[in-house]
Amino acid sequence: MAVGKNPELTLRTSFTKSFKESLEEYGPDITKEDNDTDFLIGVKGKLYEYSIGDWSVAEVEYSAVGSGSPIALGSLYTSNNYKDIHKRIKIALEAACTLSPSCQLPIDIYTI
């Protein structure tokens, strides 16, 4: 899927359509309220929070989702001066999974 000059528009339109089709075929029953799931998607140097609860897309500076999100956010705040974003993400996830009893590995990170 090509991302044009407006990544947010792509996420709201063609990405959402493809993602819904994939979830309907392979994922959880997205019609059930308790299957609301949030994702973080990075596109062209921007970060977006993406929720299948209401199919919303919001650009954010940095964020975290899930049960360990407060811990991950703290880690991201303290590592704000790191140049290597992959290292920041890894450290934040390790902190969340170490300190939050309901946050467990594995956590999927896809880079395209």
Side-chain angles (χ1 to χ4, degrees):
M1 170 180 325
V3 177
K5 293 181 181 179
N6 188 339
E8 189 171 340
L9 179 62
T10 302
L11 287 173
R12 291 182 185 281
T13 56
S14 55
F15 177 82
T16 295
K17 181 179 184 241
S18 297
F19 196 52
K20 278 183 177 180
E21 290 170 358
S22 294
L23 287 175
E24 287 168 357
E25 186 170 350
Y26 303 109
D29 182 354
I30 59 175
T31 62
K32 292 183 179 179
E33 189 173 311
D34 60 342
N35 282 338
D36 290 356
T37 304
D38 297 323
F39 297 88
L40 297 175
I41 301 173
V43 181
K44 293 191 171 190
K46 296 181 179 185
L47 180 64
Y48 299 89
E49 289 181 350
Y50 186 87
S51 175
I52 68 169
D54 59 1
W55 302 104
S56 63
V57 176
E59 185 178 347
V60 294
E61 186 175 336
Y62 59 88
S63 185
V65 296
S67 60
S69 63
I71 298 162
L73 284 172
S75 174
L76 290 170
Y77 177 80
T78 60
S79 65
N80 197 36
N81 61 344
Y82 287 30
K83 301 287 185 215
D84 185 347
I85 188 63
H86 298 287
K87 183 176 181 179
R88 287 184 70 202
I89 292 168
K90 184 177 181 206
I91 292 169
L93 291 173
E94 288 173 353
C97 290
T98 299
L99 300 172
S100 176
S102 59
C103 182
Q104 297 181 4
L105 296 171
I107 295 173
D108 298 322
I109 301 173
Y110 295 101
T111 304
I112 299 173

